[in-house]
Amino acid sequence: MAVEAETRQQWLDDVVNTVGNTFLGLEMSCFKCHDHKFDPLPTRDYYSMQAVFATTQPADVGVALRETSTGNDYERKSVAAKALVDRLSAEDSKAKIGGFGRSVTLNRLQRWNKQFQPLAMSIYKGPTRTFNSNSLSNLPPSIDKRSGDLMILNILAGGSLAAPIEPVELAALSAVESLNEWQPSPFPETVENRRRALADWIVDESNPLPARVIVNRVWGWHFGGQSLVATPNNFGVKGSKPSHPELLDWLARWFVDHGYSFKKLHRLIMTSNAYQRSIMTPDKIDSAQANKILASFPVRHVSAEEMRDIMLQCSGELARNLGGIPSRPQMNWDAAMTAVNVQGGIDIPYRPDLTPSERNRRSIYTYRMRSRRDPLFEVFNQPSSERSCGIRDESIVVPQAFTLMNGDFIADRSLALADQLLKRLTTMPQCVDAAYSTIFGREPTIAEKTKCLDFVAAQFVHHKQYPTPRFDVAKKIAGLTPYDPEYAKRYVADLQSADVPPRTRALADLCLTLFNTSELLYIP
C-alpha cells in the first residue's frame, strides 16, 4: 500500500543491505541517511553500490513441469485452486468467512491460486517497470518492450526520496579499496554486466572481507553459534573483535587457496582437534574461558526446524520427497484461525495441506508468511525472514516448556510413535526399548526402563478411567474454509487420542516425556 517509488526504493535498500550483510559483514543501513559514525563508510558509497541494482527488475518466469510426483502435485493443486476461484467468481465477488464478520475479496483468493502456478522468481535488466500490485503475474516484458529511461540513483538526504542531493556513479566501498591500496576496474554504466562487476569486486583477492565473513559463518555453524567474530553480520568498529584473529586470517587464506570450496572447508573444520573435543570442561579451567579458547565443545539447543524434523523422523511420519510446492504444515488451530490484517483487509485463514504426507515434509520446505508465523517455530527463536540473520538467538523461556509439554504438534508425534511401536511389538518392555532406540539411539538403563514401565502402567490406569474426548477436526476445518466445503471434506486429520486404546495413550505419554528431555533437545 506504499507509493510505487517508495516501494522500489525499499526493494533497493533490502538488496544492498542483504549483500552487505551476507558477503561483506557490514551493516549497510547504518550509512544510508548519513556518513557512518564509526566506520569509514560515506553515504555516497551506499547509493553508489545501490546504483548497481538500479536496472535490476524483479519478475516471474514461467517454467515447465517435469513428469514427476512433484510436477503432478503442482498440477493437481493448481486445478483445484482454479476450480475454487471459478466457482466463487460465478457465485459472488466476495466470499464470507464465518466468525470474522468480514469478507475476503475474490485481490485475495486469486493471489492464493497463483502460488500453485509453475512460476519461478527471477529478474531482468532494463528501465524501471510500472507494476500494479493488483496484477496476478509479473512476467518480464520482451526485450523490444523494455523502453524508457534507466533509473538514476541520487544521494538522498536523510534517506528520503523527497530530498535528492546529487546523482552517483556506480561503485562499491571506497574504504575497502583505499585501505588495501586496491584499484579495481571501473563499473560499467550500461545495463549489461553491472551485477557481474560487483560480484567480481566482492570475490577479488584484494578484498579482505568476503573470505573472512564466510569462514566465520561456517565456523559458527559447526560450533553451536560460537563464531570467531561474535557478530557475523558486522565486521565494523562496533562489531565484536575476533576471539582468534590469527585463526580467522589463516582460514580465510586457506579457503581462497582451495578454490572457495565449502566441502573442503567443512572437512577441515570437522577433522580438527577443536571440533572433536569432549563437552566436558578440563579441570582447573573456568567454563566461560574454556568456551572462549575451545578447550571443550559447546553444547547447543537444536533449532526449531531441527526439532520438528527430529520428532517427525522418530514418529515415522517425515516425508522425504524433494522440491515442489512449499509445504503448509498443521499450525496451532487458534493461530490458524486468528484474523490477520494485510494491506487494509482481512487475510484468508491459514489452510494446512490436506494430507499428512504433504504437511509433514522437512521444515526447509515449509511455507513462511511474515503476517502469520507458526507459534511452534516462533517460540523456539526462529528469526524473522525480513533480514539476514547473522546468528540465531538461543534462549530458554517458559513458553518453550509449555509448547513441548502441551503443544498439539508434539502430542500428535508422540501418539503416532506409540501407535506404530505397538503395531509391530507385542510387549511393553519391547516398546520401551524401541522408544529409547528410536529417540536417543541407545538402549535404556535398567533403572530407566523400570521407571518407564512404572510410569506407563500408572498412565494406563489413568486413561482407562478417563477416556479422551474427541476433538471435532471436521468442524474446525469447516471454520477455516467456509467458502470451500470440499476442502473440509477431503482433509485427512492426524491420529487422535480418541482413536486409540488406553494402552496406546499411556505409551504416548512416555514418548511425550522422552521428547521433552535434554538428551534429545541438546546436541553435544
Side-chain angles (χ1 to χ4, degrees), residues 8 26 51 87 208 413 422 475 486 488:
R8 173 65 177 168
L26 294 174
R87 178 174 64 79
R413 305 294 74 77
L422 285 170
K475 182 178 180 180
E486 291 301 314

Side-chain angles (χ1 to χ4, degrees), residues 253-461:
R253 185 70 260 170
W254 187 96
F255 185 54
V256 173
D257 290 343
H258 288 78
Y260 293 89
S261 171
F262 280 86
K263 182 179 290 187
K264 292 179 181 178
L265 179 61
H266 287 307
R267 183 182 294 114
L268 174 71
I269 293 175
M270 296 177 72
T271 55
S272 67
N273 289 335
Y275 185 81
Q276 298 180 32
R277 287 197 173 109
S278 167
I279 63 171
M280 303 300 293
T281 303
D283 294 338
K284 299 181 181 180
I285 298 182
D286 177 73
S287 58
Q289 182 66 13
N291 283 339
K292 184 176 180 180
I293 64 174
L294 294 177
S296 59
F297 192 89
V299 176
R300 74 170 178 89
H301 195 291
V302 296
S303 67
E305 296 88 340
E306 289 173 319
M307 182 186 72
R308 177 179 177 273
D309 290 357
I310 288 170
M311 293 183 180
L312 285 171
Q313 169 67 19
C314 291
S315 66
E317 300 170 287
L318 184 65
R320 294 179 173 273
N321 52 307
L322 305 177
I325 297 176
S327 169
R328 286 175 172 261
Q330 184 174 310
M331 184 189 294
N332 174 275
W333 290 114
D334 291 333
M337 292 287 291
T338 301
V340 174
N341 288 307
V342 177
Q343 295 187 345
I346 299 297
D347 195 13
I348 60 177
Y350 177 80
R351 293 164 53 110
D353 284 325
L354 288 170
T355 64
S357 62
E358 294 173 301
R359 298 192 294 268
N360 295 336
R361 298 186 63 197
R362 291 174 57 203
S363 298
I364 193 173
Y365 293 117
T366 56
Y367 182 71
R368 292 187 64 184
M369 295 179 290
R370 285 177 291 180
S371 59
R372 195 190 298 273
R373 298 184 66 185
D374 190 328
L376 175 67
F377 290 152
E378 189 171 20
V379 77
F380 284 97
N381 305 115
Q382 185 187 50
S384 167
S385 60
E386 298 174 15
R387 296 203 61 182
S388 167
C389 175
I391 189 168
R392 288 199 179 196
D393 294 330
E394 186 174 306
S395 63
I396 302 175
V397 292
V398 173
Q400 294 173 350
F402 289 155
T403 299
L404 288 171
M405 189 58 70
N406 304 315
D408 292 339
F409 175 82
I410 291 87
D412 289 346
R413 305 294 74 77
S414 302
L415 188 65
L417 174 56
D419 181 64
Q420 64 102 349
L421 289 176
L422 285 170
K423 283 181 177 177
R424 62 184 179 87
L425 300 170
T426 55
T427 67
M428 193 56 69
Q430 290 176 328
C431 290
V432 171
D433 288 340
Y436 265 77
S437 176
T438 300
I439 297 175
F440 302 135
R442 66 174 179 87
E443 294 182 354
T445 64
I446 296 176
E448 287 172 335
K449 189 170 183 177
T450 300
K451 289 181 180 180
C452 288
L453 291 172
D454 290 343
F455 174 77
V456 173
Q459 292 303 103
F460 173 75
V461 174

Side-chain angles (χ1 to χ4, degrees), residues 6 18 50 102 141 235 255 273 321 465 496 513:
E6 292 180 355
T18 301
Q50 197 172 82
R102 307 247 183 132
F235 273 44
F255 185 54
N273 289 335
N321 52 307
Q465 184 177 359
Q496 289 192 45
T513 303

Side-chain angles (χ1 to χ4, degrees), residues 51-52 54-55 170 187-198:
V52 173
T55 59
L170 278 70
F187 282 68
E189 293 292 339
T190 59
V191 173
E192 302 297 326
N193 298 324
R194 289 189 178 190
R195 296 192 309 277
R196 172 61 186 267
L198 178 60

Side-chain angles (χ1 to χ4, degrees), residues 34-293:
H34 49 72
D35 291 350
H36 203 293
K37 293 185 177 180
F38 306 101
D39 297 321
L41 299 170
T43 305
R44 177 177 295 278
D45 283 6
Y46 179 88
Y47 292 100
S48 293
M49 190 165 165
Q50 197 172 82
V52 173
F53 300 97
T55 59
T56 301
Q57 314 295 327
D60 297 330
V61 175
V63 293
L65 292 177
R66 294 181 296 172
E67 292 296 326
T68 62
S69 59
T70 297
N72 295 335
D73 194 39
Y74 267 104
E75 186 172 359
R76 177 176 59 80
K77 290 193 175 183
S78 177
V79 170
K82 186 177 185 304
L84 171 61
V85 172
D86 290 344
R87 178 174 64 79
L88 291 175
S89 298
E91 293 177 359
D92 193 354
S93 62
K94 293 187 176 181
K96 299 294 181 182
I97 294 207
F100 297 149
R102 307 247 183 132
S103 64
V104 80
T105 63
L106 184 61
N107 279 2
R108 201 62 55 77
L109 287 172
Q110 287 172 332
R111 283 185 173 278
W112 170 75
N113 177 29
K114 179 186 172 184
Q115 69 178 292
F116 302 121
Q117 305 305 311
L119 298 173
M121 295 180 65
S122 185
I123 55 175
Y124 73 94
K125 298 171 290 190
T128 302
R129 177 187 182 190
T130 299
F131 177 68
N132 184 348
S133 61
N134 292 321
S135 174
L136 295 179
S137 65
N138 184 26
L139 298 176
S142 58
I143 295 178
D144 59 331
K145 296 287 183 65
R146 298 177 193 177
S147 58
D149 296 328
L150 298 180
M151 184 178 184
I152 297 176
L153 263 292
N154 290 277
I155 298 175
L156 303 178
S160 172
L161 275 173
I165 298 177
E166 59 178 303
V168 295
E169 296 181 350
L170 278 70
L173 302 183
S174 57
V176 176
E177 298 168 4
S178 60
L179 291 175
N180 292 279
E181 299 181 353
W182 169 32
Q183 304 215 344
S185 301
F187 282 68
E189 293 292 339
T190 59
V191 173
E192 302 297 326
N193 298 324
R194 289 189 178 190
R195 296 192 309 277
R196 172 61 186 267
L198 178 60
D200 288 340
W201 183 91
I202 289 175
V203 300
D204 194 291
E205 290 196 16
S206 297
N207 189 341
L209 290 174
R212 287 169 173 79
V213 170
I214 291 173
V215 298
N216 184 62
R217 292 190 193 282
V218 175
W219 184 274
W221 295 335
H222 282 300
F223 286 93
Q226 186 173 314
S227 304
L228 298 173
V229 177
T231 53
N233 277 4
N234 188 359
F235 273 44
V237 172
K238 301 302 289 184
S240 298
K241 303 299 181 186
S243 59
H244 301 75
E246 295 86 358
L247 174 59
L248 180 66
D249 287 347
W250 185 86
L251 282 173
R253 185 70 260 170
W254 187 96
F255 185 54
V256 173
D257 290 343
H258 288 78
Y260 293 89
S261 171
F262 280 86
K263 182 179 290 187
K264 292 179 181 178
L265 179 61
H266 287 307
R267 183 182 294 114
L268 174 71
I269 293 175
M270 296 177 72
T271 55
S272 67
N273 289 335
Y275 185 81
Q276 298 180 32
R277 287 197 173 109
S278 167
I279 63 171
M280 303 300 293
T281 303
D283 294 338
K284 299 181 181 180
I285 298 182
D286 177 73
S287 58
Q289 182 66 13
N291 283 339
K292 184 176 180 180
I293 64 174

Side-chain angles (χ1 to χ4, degrees), residues 448-523:
E448 287 172 335
K449 189 170 183 177
T450 300
K451 289 181 180 180
C452 288
L453 291 172
D454 290 343
F455 174 77
V456 173
Q459 292 303 103
F460 173 75
V461 174
H462 170 82
H463 286 295
K464 198 171 182 180
Q465 184 177 359
Y466 301 101
T468 302
R470 177 169 294 280
F471 175 67
D472 195 342
V473 178
K475 182 178 180 180
K476 182 66 72 172
I477 291 293
L480 281 175
T481 55
Y483 51 87
D484 187 9
E486 291 301 314
Y487 174 84
K489 293 178 184 178
R490 293 183 288 123
Y491 188 86
V492 181
D494 290 331
L495 184 68
Q496 289 192 45
S497 294
D499 298 329
V500 298
R503 188 168 184 247
T504 305
R505 298 201 296 272
L507 180 59
D509 289 344
L510 173 63
C511 294
L512 178 65
T513 303
L514 299 181
F515 277 147
N516 274 263
T517 58
S518 296
E519 186 171 351
L520 177 76
L521 299 174
Y522 286 86
I523 296 180

